């Protein structure tokens, strides 16, 4: 094995060997996909020595390690990132060239790993990248889904979901570790009985057990020899897993057990509209939490003697509530398997665990039906019940007679297990993901907990890895930055601020304009080649890419575009310059209204394309199957970043940060991290509009506003809503906006949004002014590197320090 490729010639030699081992073929005979696989395997070989060395170093130093539990890790392609982190990209490029291959043509052949779907999953991926870059001992823990969310196709303007078969050609970055498998138990019954020593012990019997097999993915730091681990668990059937019944001869039970087992790690987000789907999701949550914890405790046992010191060496982080079963599961392991008493186990559990909340939307706070929970996880349920009993007793002592408050903080209530309450009670730290979001958690969503445990609450504003989202996605911009201020910003993204003095420098501005045009041209070529659609590369690129959700208000965006269309019908000069509106994102398969918005976008796009008076000025394009690799093409090409959620609803947003890093101007509401972007760049360098969070919350308290009144008063709104006559499907949106009183304030914010767009056009026509704003955004984006975020978690929450390897 080699530490590094010393020359393109050596690369060619290693490549030839590897092609023989993997495929028994000469390089020249390989299909491009096989070239990718050979190359990926070579890169993994490069990483292996450092991977082992990192693990040995952590053990030798007895260092505290973090385990970041997340139901999603939206990794994106790994070849480019790993080559970059090893510093071997040029060597690979040269070597492949000698073999007659083009690295840039090979990289897109890698399937995007389907291990996540949106902001929360991508945040987790950014965090493990930053942990390794900062040489912090921290690992990811999740599920090896065989199928991702879904592959989005558009048929007749509507979303169609196809299976995402990302694993079909194999995943060369993983290593199966069968020797580290553990068992996870489901079902059966649990009860307490005297342990013969004057106490009680738990008996759990009649359960079925599932084999959990870890697949490890290396997570290399940026040219620093640190390689951490992302451990993905896969569920497998074991012939003796079905307690008692296998031998009894009821083969149908055995087959059913085998099927259920194999379902556990089959899909990301199984359909939760059926009882079966919900049960599977709960099985998944327990599955990776239990497997992960068992392996952590086992490793701890090999390193340390005293389990009472667990929290000195282990930090467990739960990314949203999906992994919150970690709390009762750690209690179970400490008590049932290690013989600890409740008090001691509880102290250790709380001291080890920390929790991040990612939403205030009440429908997104997880709740499980008690009968389902109890039948699936009887032992864990007993622990949750006891925890709830103790917690409520203590709470009632503090607030006697306040049953209204007790109801809010209960873990078990109304026949349900409330996961957010479990997570807060069982963690020493609870954080929100942007200043505004944390404030709303403290003042309303989690206020009763804040009253009891104010010291647990803290903010950690999200960040994104500038290595992937700038260095890797936008090489010409990265090169311009390095030519201007040197390369220190790569390791210290705050240093991007050194660009500030160049914001008015005409020669810098000229180069910045060229880079943006170059990225727009590249996107236009790609759209032409892959979608067969022509886009004007000199139009203003206005982009909204994110999951479809009513609170994110893609509807506001498309209604505004339709209003431009109407105005252009009347007056061909109504719009001063050509604009392209790009959309991308998936709607949940069962989210009817969001899917109708996708249809509406396509309808407006067609109206415009068919109208000669308008199509020179406007273009609407929906790019199907938005994912990480498409994002990497879009962020660098954007002029305007649409961040228009109803204020208070978007916990943070992270796309906003990726656009900013690539020099786009934010057009947004004061929501989530937009508030902090706005504070850093100022009014001159972003365009803010619409209701503020406090106004929105006031309306909610007072029963909303009357969208009918607005409809009657504003002629343009009336005209715009005609678009709903185009298809009976859209009557649902009409209902939302008028009859159901516009829950997300689309009409209420419409006039302000129209103004904001006019402001954008005015500013865009002042070239030097626009380029200055673009430069300021890039310069201030260092604050939104996940390196900053992760350092804050490490210092304030996890208490871990960098370890040189
Ligand atoms: C998700 O992607 C987010 C929140 C959730 O509760 C779930 Cl289940 C998924 C997003 C937030 O909507 C977004 O505002 C935030 O930036 C992101 O998590 C990362 O914190």
């Amino acid at each position: 094995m080699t530490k590094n490729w010393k020359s393109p010639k050596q690369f060619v030699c290693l490549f030839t060997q590897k092609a023989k081992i993997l495929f028994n073929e000469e390089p020249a005979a390989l299909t491009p996909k096989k070239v990718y696989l050979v190359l990926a395997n070579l890169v993994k070989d490069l990483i292996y020595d450092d991977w082992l060395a990192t693990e040995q170093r952590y053990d030798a130093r007895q260092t505290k390690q973090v385990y970041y539990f997340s139901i999603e890790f939206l990794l994106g392609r790994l070849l480019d990132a790993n080559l970059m982190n090893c510093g071997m990209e040029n060597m690979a490029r040269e070597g492949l060239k000698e073999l007659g291959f083009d690295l840039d043509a090979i990289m897109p052949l890698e399937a995007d790993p389907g291990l996540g779907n949106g902001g929360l999953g991508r945040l987790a991926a950014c965090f493990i990248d930053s942990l390794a870059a900062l040489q912090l001992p921290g690992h990811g823990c999740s599920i090896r889904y065989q199928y991702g969310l879904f592959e989005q196709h558009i048929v007749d303007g509507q979303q169609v979901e196809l299976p995402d078969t990302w694993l079909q050609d194999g995943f060369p970055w993983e290593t199966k570790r069968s020797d580290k498998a553990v068992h996870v138990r489901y079902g059966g019954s649990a009860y307490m009985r005297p342990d013969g020593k004057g106490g009680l012990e738990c008996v759990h019997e009649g359960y079925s057990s599932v084999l959990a097999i870890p697949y490890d993915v290396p997570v290399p730091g940026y040219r620093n020899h640190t390689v951490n681990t992302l451990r993905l668990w896969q569920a497998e059937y074991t012939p003796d897993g079905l307690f008692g019944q296998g031998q009894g001869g009821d083969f149908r039970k055995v087959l059913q057990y085998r099927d259920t087992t194999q379902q556990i790690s089959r899909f990301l987000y199984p359909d939760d509209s059926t009882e079966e789907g919900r049960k599977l999701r709960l099985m998944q949550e327990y599955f990776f939490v239990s497997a992960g914890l068992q392996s952590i405790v086992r490793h701890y046992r090999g390193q340390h003697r005293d389990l009472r010191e667990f929290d000195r060496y282990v930090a467990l982080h739960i990314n949203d509530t999906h992994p919150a079963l970690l709390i009762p599961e750690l209690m179970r392991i400490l008590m049932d398997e290690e013989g600890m008493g409740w008090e001691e186990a509880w102290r250790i559990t709380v001291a080890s665990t920390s929790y991040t909340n990612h939403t205030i939307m009440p429908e997104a706070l997880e709740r499980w039906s008690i009968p389902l929970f109890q039948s699936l996880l009887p032992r864990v349920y007993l622990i949750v019940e006891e925890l709830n009993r103790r917690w409520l007793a203590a709470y009632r002592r503090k607030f006697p007679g306040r049953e209204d408050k007790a109801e809010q903080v209960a873990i078990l209530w109304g026949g349900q297990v409330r996961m957010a309450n479990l997570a807060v009670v069982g963690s020493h730290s609870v954080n929100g993901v942007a200043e505004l979001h944390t404030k709303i958690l403290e003042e309303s969503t989690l206020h009763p907990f804040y009253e009891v445990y104010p010291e647990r609450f803290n903010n950690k504003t999200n960040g994104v890895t500038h290595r992937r989202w700038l260095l890797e996605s936008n090489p010409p911009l990265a090169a311009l930055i390095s030519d201007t201020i040197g390369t220190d910003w790569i390791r210290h993204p705050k240093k991007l601020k050194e660009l500030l003095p160049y914001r008015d420098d005409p020669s810098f501005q000229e180069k910045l304009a060229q880079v943006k045009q170059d990225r727009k041209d590249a996107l236009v070529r790609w759209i032409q080649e892959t979608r067969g659609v022509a886009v004007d590369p000199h139009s203003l690129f206005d982009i909204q890419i994110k999951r479809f959700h009513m609170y994110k208000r893609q509807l506001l965006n498309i209604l505004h575009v339709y209003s431009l269309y109407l105005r252009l019908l009347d007056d061909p000069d109504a719009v001063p310059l050509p604009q392209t509106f790009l959309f991308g994102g998936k709607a949940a398969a069962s989210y009817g209204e969001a899917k109708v918005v996708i249809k509406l976008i396509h309808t407006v796009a067609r109206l415009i394309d068919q109208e000669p008076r308008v199509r020179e000025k406007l273009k609407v394009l929906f790019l199907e199957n938005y994912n990480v690799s498409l994002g990497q093409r879009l962020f660098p090409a954007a002029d305007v970043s649409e961040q228009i959620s109803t204020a208070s609803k978007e916990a943070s947003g992270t796309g906003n940060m990726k656009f900013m890093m690539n020099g786009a101007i934010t057009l947004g509401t004061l929501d989530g991290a937009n508030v902090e972007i706005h504070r850093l760049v100022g009014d001159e360098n972003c365009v803010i509009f619409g209701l503020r969070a406090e106004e929105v919350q006031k309306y909610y308290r007072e029963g909303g506003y009357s969208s009918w009144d607005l409809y009657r008063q504003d002629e343009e709104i009336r005209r715009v809503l005609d678009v709903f006559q185009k298809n009976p499907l859209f009557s649902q949106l009409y209902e939302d906006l008028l009859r159901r009183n516009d829950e997300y304030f689309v009409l209420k914010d419409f006039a302000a949004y129209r103004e904001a767009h006019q402001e954008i056009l005015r500013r865009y026509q002042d070239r030097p002014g626009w380029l200055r704003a673009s430069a300021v955004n890039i310069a201030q984006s260092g604050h939104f590197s996940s390196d900053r975020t992760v350092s804050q978690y490490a210092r304030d929450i996890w208490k871990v320090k960098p370890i040189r390897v």
Side-chain angles (χ1 to χ4, degrees):
M1 199 147 347
T2 57
K3 271 241 167 359
N4 261 326
W5 307 327
K6 301 279 182 296
S7 64
K9 213 176 120 216
Q10 191 205 12
F11 173 88
V12 167
C13 180
L14 290 167
F15 188 97
T16 308
Q17 261 174 31
K18 193 58 114 187
K20 201 174 292 164
I21 296 170
L22 288 178
F23 299 112
N24 198 26
E25 277 174 345
E26 293 295 329
L30 295 172
T31 60
K33 194 152 253 161
K34 286 180 178 168
V35 174
Y36 159 70
L37 288 170
V38 172
L39 180 55
N41 276 283
L42 279 183
V43 175
K44 199 165 68 170
D45 288 351
L46 279 184
I47 297 173
Y48 261 107
D49 288 339
D50 285 343
W51 200 4
L52 184 61
T54 303
E55 200 180 310
Q56 288 170 343
R57 181 111 179 114
Y58 291 164
D59 286 348
R61 295 281 295 268
Q62 301 233 325
T63 172
K64 186 174 189 183
Q65 302 193 42
V66 188
Y67 300 89
Y68 193 86
F69 284 75
S70 178
I71 197 121
E72 297 182 22
F73 280 86
L74 189 48
L75 298 173
R77 290 180 180 141
L78 294 178
L79 176 57
D80 199 4
N82 286 342
L83 277 171
M84 176 183 78
N85 283 325
C86 302
M88 285 291 126
E89 181 154 349
N90 285 334
M91 203 66 81
R93 190 178 298 280
E94 293 300 307
L96 282 182
K97 205 157 135 198
E98 288 191 15
L99 290 163
F101 299 110
D102 172 8
L103 180 60
D104 293 322
I106 297 300
M107 285 193 297
L109 300 176
E110 177 175 0
D112 271 43
L115 302 175
N117 79 85
L120 170 145
R122 182 54 232 177
L123 186 77
C126 286
F127 279 13
I128 53 175
D129 182 81
S130 285
L131 280 165
L134 297 168
Q135 302 204 288
L136 289 165
H139 314 283
C141 184
S142 192
I143 298 173
R144 182 179 184 266
Y145 304 103
Q146 194 179 344
Y147 299 97
L149 184 63
F150 57 79
E151 197 175 282
Q152 180 193 52
H153 285 232
I154 300 294
V155 177
D156 195 19
Q158 282 180 289
Q159 170 174 299
V160 173
E161 301 95 24
L162 279 89
D164 168 19
T165 57
W166 74 281
L167 262 177
Q168 206 158 48
D169 301 320
F171 184 46
W173 306 105
E174 67 187 3
T175 301
K176 183 175 184 175
R177 302 237 192 266
S178 303
D179 57 313
K180 297 194 171 167
V182 300
H183 288 271
V184 178
R185 300 167 178 187
Y186 296 99
S189 57
Y191 58 90
M192 307 304 292
R193 70 167 180 216
D195 63 1
K197 289 177 275 175
L200 290 173
E201 66 180 7
C202 183
V203 183
H204 183 191
E205 58 194 15
Y207 55 81
S208 311
S209 97
V210 170
L211 195 61
I213 301 181
Y215 287 70
D216 287 352
V217 181
V219 184
Y222 183 71
R223 302 184 188 179
N224 62 13
H225 301 288
T226 292
V227 182
N228 292 330
T229 301
L230 170 59
R231 177 160 283 184
L232 304 172
W233 294 93
Q234 168 156 290
E236 275 184 27
Y237 154 80
T238 120
D240 50 1
L242 186 61
F243 181 85
Q245 287 142 33
Q247 304 83 353
D250 188 346
F251 68 91
R252 278 164 309 182
K253 270 228 164 84
V254 177
L255 289 180
Q256 197 199 359
Y257 156 75
R258 196 182 64 186
D259 286 351
T260 318
T261 306
Q262 293 174 339
Q263 284 292 331
I264 294 175
S265 50
R266 188 149 298 161
F267 295 101
L268 171 64
Y269 281 16
D271 182 6
D272 62 1
S273 57
T274 63
E275 182 69 17
E276 266 313 289
R278 278 193 292 276
K279 179 172 167 192
L280 223 68
R281 173 75 179 198
L282 182 57
M283 288 182 93
Q284 287 186 331
E285 293 184 356
Y286 184 63
F287 174 71
F288 84 105
V289 156
S290 175
L293 263 184
Q294 288 183 56
S295 79
I296 291 164
V297 172
R298 190 163 62 187
H299 180 253
Y300 180 92
R301 276 247 166 263
Q303 298 291 311
H304 307 275
R305 248 174 302 135
D306 192 349
L307 216 70
R308 284 169 305 188
E309 291 192 317
F310 189 74
D311 55 295
R312 270 184 61 187
Y313 297 102
V314 176
L316 303 167
H317 198 86
I318 54 183
N319 192 31
D320 220 333
T321 56
H322 321 118
L325 292 177
L326 188 142
I327 291 158
E329 176 66 0
L330 182 54
M331 291 295 285
R332 183 191 70 77
I333 294 174
L334 294 177
M335 294 189 303
D336 296 2
E337 290 176 17
E338 307 289 340
M340 232 176 242
W342 180 281
E343 272 78 18
E344 179 107 76
W346 185 244
R347 182 195 63 73
I348 292 169
T349 298
V350 176
S352 315
T353 309
S354 48
Y355 158 58
T356 299
N357 172 289
H358 293 264
T359 185
I360 61 155
M361 304 278 288
E363 66 269 29
L365 295 178
E366 280 191 300
R367 287 151 197 255
W368 296 108
S369 105
I370 289 181
L372 169 67
F373 192 110
Q374 194 172 16
S375 69
L376 198 62
L377 307 169
R379 174 54 183 140
V380 174
Y381 182 73
L382 285 180
I383 293 170
V384 174
E385 210 172 36
E386 175 64 9
L387 171 57
N388 182 57
R389 194 186 64 74
R390 289 174 183 244
W391 158 241
L392 279 185
Y395 191 83
R396 285 174 173 136
R397 277 195 298 278
K398 205 172 162 88
F399 297 98
R402 292 298 305 272
E403 275 312 282
D404 56 323
K405 285 167 84 91
E407 169 176 354
Q408 287 176 34
V409 300
I411 297 168
L412 300 178
W413 198 272
Q416 292 181 314
V417 185
R418 297 164 169 180
M419 300 289 273
N421 293 7
L422 172 64
V424 176
V425 173
S427 305
H428 67 277
S429 166
V430 177
N431 76 280
V433 290
E435 288 171 15
L436 174 64
H437 172 231
T438 300
K439 182 169 165 290
I440 295 173
L441 288 179
E442 292 175 354
E443 291 176 0
S444 53
T445 316
L446 298 176
H447 181 69
F449 294 99
Y450 181 64
E451 279 183 322
V452 183
Y453 297 125
E455 71 291 349
R456 290 190 182 183
F457 285 73
N458 63 97
N459 176 247
K460 294 287 169 284
T461 298
N462 282 166
V464 301
T465 165
H466 61 289
R467 285 167 294 276
R468 178 175 291 262
W469 295 108
L470 177 48
L471 195 54
E472 179 191 328
S473 307
N474 198 342
L477 180 56
L480 170 58
I481 296 169
S482 297
D483 287 347
T484 311
I485 59 170
T487 56
D488 279 4
W489 65 274
I490 298 172
R491 282 177 199 278
H492 307 286
K494 280 236 164 67
K495 296 209 169 170
L496 284 168
K497 265 204 192 144
E498 291 171 10
L499 286 171
L500 277 178
Y502 296 90
R503 64 187 180 276
D504 287 310
D505 177 332
S507 121
F508 177 77
Q509 285 198 352
E510 179 52 34
K511 291 179 206 148
L512 185 58
Q514 271 168 22
V515 165
K516 184 59 80 182
Q517 193 55 54
D518 172 72
R519 295 296 80 197
K520 289 167 77 172
D521 292 342
L523 178 63
V524 165
R525 277 196 306 277
W526 181 82
I527 291 175
Q528 182 63 255
E529 281 160 22
T530 59
R531 321 265 157 144
V533 176
V535 171
D536 173 5
H538 299 292
S539 59
L540 182 154
F541 282 18
D542 178 302
I543 308 188
Q544 187 172 19
I545 39 177
K546 48 182 82 245
R547 287 298 300 271
F548 270 73
H549 208 297
M550 297 316 281
Y551 83 79
K552 296 180 189 277
R553 299 201 295 191
Q554 284 93 351
L555 179 58
L556 175 60
N557 186 344
I558 195 63
L559 288 179
H560 171 257
V561 175
Y562 183 67
S563 77
L564 294 178
Y565 161 87
L566 292 176
R567 256 184 276 157
L568 279 166
L569 286 182
D570 297 343
D571 169 12
D573 295 321
V575 170
L577 52 99
Q579 300 175 73
T580 299
F581 293 90
L582 294 165
F583 290 86
K586 296 174 184 177
S590 56
Y591 197 163
E593 292 151 285
K595 291 171 111 171
V596 173
V597 175
I598 292 179
K599 172 70 184 171
L600 180 63
I601 292 169
H602 284 90
T603 303
V604 172
R606 266 194 74 154
L607 282 171
I608 292 171
D609 285 344
Q610 290 169 349
E611 183 52 66
R613 283 172 293 172
V614 178
R615 67 183 173 217
E616 299 297 303
K617 281 288 176 66
L618 286 187
K619 175 83 194 165
V620 170
L621 190 59
F622 184 97
L623 293 168
E624 66 191 357
N625 204 38
Y626 173 55
N627 59 10
V628 174
S629 47
L630 179 52
Q632 292 186 232
R633 296 180 191 278
L634 289 167
F635 291 111
D639 294 310
V640 173
S641 157
E642 293 269 355
Q643 306 301 334
I644 60 176
S645 53
T646 309
S648 78
K649 297 287 181 183
E650 189 70 271
S652 160
T654 44
N656 46 4
M657 302 166 186
K658 297 164 198 166
F659 278 113
M660 180 190 186
M661 243 171 219
N662 284 280
I665 306 308
T666 303
L667 166 50
T669 48
L670 281 183
D671 199 13
N674 298 354
V675 175
E676 290 156 76
I677 292 176
H678 171 246
R679 191 193 305 139
L680 272 171
V681 304
D683 278 324
E684 322 83 71
N685 302 304
C686 64
V687 177
I688 297 297
F689 75 98
L691 291 177
R692 307 301 193 239
E694 276 170 12
E695 297 171 295
V696 167
Q697 290 181 315
K698 186 155 180 284
Y699 275 120
Y700 283 138
R701 279 196 303 273
E702 294 168 0
Y705 80 106
S706 166
S707 54
W708 275 113
D709 287 351
L710 234 167
Y711 181 79
R712 276 190 291 266
Q713 287 155 22
D714 189 319
E715 200 206 317
E716 186 164 33
I717 286 185
R718 272 203 306 282
R719 277 189 74 197
V720 164
L721 294 195
D722 300 339
V723 72
F724 296 148
Q725 310 295 327
K726 309 274 177 205
N727 189 322
L729 258 184
F730 302 148
S731 65
Q732 196 178 353
L733 299 177
Y734 182 87
E735 295 280 321
D736 282 352
L737 293 183
L738 290 168
R739 258 185 260 291
R740 288 167 56 201
N741 222 4
D742 190 11
E743 188 183 349
Y744 297 109
F745 301 90
V746 171
L747 300 184
K748 186 79 183 161
D749 273 345
F750 190 83
Y753 185 56
R754 183 173 56 204
E755 278 300 309
H757 267 286
Q758 282 162 0
E759 177 64 17
I760 286 280
L761 293 180
R762 275 194 293 277
R763 293 193 194 183
Y764 192 71
Q765 290 172 87
D766 163 16
R767 291 299 285 157
W770 185 268
L771 291 165
R772 181 204 307 127
S774 178
V776 171
N777 272 277
I778 299 166
Q780 296 289 9
S781 71
H783 179 69
F784 297 105
S785 167
S786 46
D787 289 6
R788 187 266 309 151
T789 314
V790 164
S791 310
Q792 293 175 334
Y793 276 87
R795 185 194 62 203
D796 303 342
I797 303 178
W798 302 327
K799 320 279 186 213
V800 292
K801 293 214 161 62
I803 302 283
R804 300 199 157 285
V805 177

